[in-house]
Amino acid sequence: MAPQPVVTGLSPKEGPPGTRVIIRGEFLGTRVQDLIGLKICGSDCLLSAEWKSSNKIIARTGPAKGKGDIIVTTLSGGVGTSTVQFRAYHETIGPLKESAVWIEESPSQNFAWGRRTLTQSGLTQEDPLGLSIEGNEQKIPEDLRDLFPEACGDLSQEHFSPSWFLLENHLATSFEDLKAGLAYLKRKVESQKEGQLSFLKSNAGSVIDQLDTLMNIRDKLQEDLKLHGTEPLNILEASIENSITESQKIFTDVLVRKEKADSTRSVLFALSRHKFLFCLPNAVDRRAKAGEYDIVVNDYSRAKNLFGKTEIPIFRKVLEEVDQRILSIRKQLHEKVVKMPQSVDQQKKLIKALTSLGAPSGTPIGDKLRNIDPAWDAIEARAKYLEATFRQTFEQHANKDAAGTPEKSKSRDRDRDPSQAPSRVNFCEELCDIAASQLPDLWRLGQLYFTGELRGPHDPKPGDFKKMILNAIEKFCVYLRLAILIAGDQRALRQSSGLSWSIGSASATHQFLPWIPQCLRYTRIAYATLIGLDLPSDALDIIQKLIDEVRLFCFSIIFKRSTDRCKKLGSQETWELGVEDYPGATILPAALEALLVETLDEVQSVCMQPESREGNLLEPQSDGQREVSQRLQEFLSTFSAVIEELAFQSHDEETPTHNVSQLLGFPNAQQLDSVASGGAAVTWEQRMLCCLANYAYCNKSFFPHIGDVFVRYGYPLPTLAIETSRYTVNQLFTNLLEEYVEHKGDPLVGTIEPSMYLGRFQWDHEMEIGQLRPYAHECCDNLVGVYSEIYSISPALLRPILESIVQTISEELARLMSCVQRFSFTGAIQAHVDIRLLRDALEGYANETAKNYFMEALEAINPPLNVEQKRKADEILERVKRNMRLQLLCFTIKEP
Amino acid sequence: MSEPTSHVLPLHRIIMLGGEGVGKSALTLQFMYNEYNDEYEPTKADIYRKTLQLDGEQVQIDILDTAGQKVNVVIRDSYYRRADGFLCVFSIADEGSFQAIQAARDLVLQLRKDESVPFLLVGNKSDLQEERQVPLGECQARARKWGVSYVETSAKLHQNVHLVFYDLMRQISSRKASESMATNGGRKCKKKGCHACAIL
């Protein structure tokens, strides 16, 4: 602790209150805040103290009087001491004296202030020297008591000291004046010594005047006595009393009226001043009716600010009324907020108004309102409304459909304009519109709520909101699914949603199917809107799933339609051979490709091309790919079926021309007919061959080409479908080939035996040799005919067809030869020549089996040929070959 | 309120004499607090008191810093009568102040009727030698004539400030000692003895 403060110097050392004093000393504080007390002569001067340094403080003295210490108190040093003392004195303030401070006046003013005292006792005489003491207010040098320890300045005291008196009262009086004062005093003493007689003498005139006046007064008194009796004052008193009461009454009256007027005025003033508050209840109602909630909010908050804490009962009453009104307005507002439909902005405005109208907590009303979260209520209401709208729309359309279908579905289906959309489509459009318009509103409201713009007093519930959004979207999807995916698993949907939309008649369904792309478009538009909203991805995924499903469904439908169209392709067959790289194939595959390309184009534009935020349907191992494969397979197998139908359809129409054997003499009229009818058109055989060619073409190059088309469109190569289809086509090709061979080969082969034994021919008879037998000729010719027929359509088919025919021929020959019992010499040569010729001619189309048969036929000639016979046969064969050079030439071409 | 020790300790009352602006307050403040301020502010009547060591003895010094201007005569006289010693200050750079000290000396002699009262003639502002108006010789001559010591000081540069106060206090204490002896011995002879001491 620092040393005690010590005051050792004062400048000045005395003065009246308010004197500026420089206090010097030691340890007067380390800083301004350290100085916590300053007393000069007992009066606290800390307020005026100005701390300069630890040695110096400047202060102004307080209203103290007398001599006293200067006590400085500091935090660090405590209460201090003083070696010097200050003397405070009060100056007497006269009319001509300026004063900086308030001077206590009461002691110097007696009760009869302002009146001159009538008599002046010599003892109390203020100015015994007859000198003015004005201007003598010089400070008293020291304590007079110090100077004159045993004296007193009081004239009446025994130990009166003239020096004291003079110092006290005439400090500034000059010596000359004092002399005059002395003379005055002496004169007074002299006059007192002369006595009463001399006083009378000198004042004789005035004494007589006084006597006269006294006489007059006595006369007047007696007159009054006669006039008013002994007690004249009574009347006077009574009338005075009376007038006093009267005046009192008037005064009171006026006072009361004034008070009344004053209070009325103040009331009016208060009314006009707080007009705002008093008008508020009605104003609030009016504004609320007009829908100007902003103004209501404004006024209410203003009123709350201004009068919220008022204690004045009338204000409180009005405020309570306002609160009541506000409460009812809040109720209305709340109803309005929850009421749908309305725009988000409107709702936002209402919610803001509601939130702003929230009463301050503490009041029971406020607490009750506090629990209400208008924004959340609005969101819930919106979500409910959305759901209700979905349902309502659904029911409306579903009921319409249901009501219409059973009664007059026939007529309606017939009457219905095909361009007019079915109600499912309308429903889709409406539902999507609703979703696209209301979901964004809901979402925006939610965003506003969670960003805090509309936040109520409660914490937000993001989980609930998300659930709500998801729920709404789920509902949306369920309804759409019900409406669109009529082929889907309706039962599962019905169980999950409890809703159903009867599928109705097949024709209605059929009518609806082409509209599905339209529905998809609506859904996609709605989806695009929702994507723009920045919704959570799991919400969008729901719709995406739906869209993907619908897309796939769409795809299936389009392909099914194409398949249907493909079925009708048969009628378009013109039998024109238009394929360059595969002779014999018609333009049917080209038509199919055109159809496929068209379909793929449509599919691509309608559904396969993924739009924003949609999945690729062609993921490996996905439903999409499976569907594509399946559809393509279906499509291609339909095509195969079409070709088959074409082939066999013609089979039914025409009987095949059995005009194989001219030798047997079948009626020629039929052949002529068929030639006449088939000349312009295409013959059955040609069609058959075309179909065969088509099959082969499909198998060989067209189907892989289809695969290329798919790849070109961005699909994965549908290997499975193509392979399966190729297999089917192969199968069909084989069937058809067998059919053709049967139809062509059977008559040909069948004619050999009758032709051989024509004209009772026997092999054991000798015969003229040197020529070929007619049956062999005929067989050759027939084969050439078949050959030319095939060659004109599709050379590629020659080998498979001819091979099988040649085989049957060789088999037949072998059979026939083995049946012959015995050959004549010439017969053996003839048979040998015939068989060898045929064998040699057909060598190019003979397979191993056929060759064996031929060998078997040759070996069957019994007895075997001797050398001469052989030579003869070679000779004849040589000649016959030369003769038949042209016929045989065509068979020698290995690969036409 | 006064300390109990102050009754015990000898108290030396000193009055500062001299014309206005010669540096009485400056000397006083420099002596008391080692404080110097160039600004001039007329003094009314300031009082300073502190305890200090004088030749191994604790004494209290009471300095009355009077106004250089004209003041009330009665008060002044009462002060002069009670003082133990006088520091009579003039400015060596002010001829007028040197002339004025004669009146002060006369007044002291008139009131005390004792030429041997402790008295010191101080020529202040010795730092202003170039502005000097009173020659040193004249000053010393005056001191000799009065039978007092003459010291030149500079309150600004703190030259001889303590010297003059301590000189005067020594005069006072020795005079008090001889006075008390004189009281013991005889009242009449005290003044002359004291005078001798002062000169010594």
Side-chain angles (χ1 to χ4, degrees), chain A residues 8-14 20 22 24-25 56 69 71 82-85 138-139 141-142 167 171, chain B residues 1-3 29 32-33 35 37 41 44-50 60 64 72 74-75 78-79 82:
Chain A
T8 58
L10 272 184
S11 168
K13 67 188 185 69
E14 57 193 4
R20 181 171 172 275
I22 299 173
R24 286 192 169 84
K56 189 170 171 185
D69 282 337
I71 306 298
S82 167
T83 58
V84 290
Q85 288 175 316
Q138 285 284 349
K139 53 193 172 177
E142 277 286 331
L167 274 174
L171 209 55
Chain B
M1 191 172 71
S2 49
E3 295 170 51
L29 289 177
M32 286 293 289
Y33 308 108
E35 184 184 313
N37 199 344
E41 193 184 342
K44 286 172 186 164
D46 296 354
I47 185 161
Y48 301 95
R49 178 183 295 198
K50 82 171 177 185
Q60 273 198 321
L64 184 70
N72 187 284
V74 182
I75 303 159
S78 80
Y79 288 157
R82 293 166 60 195

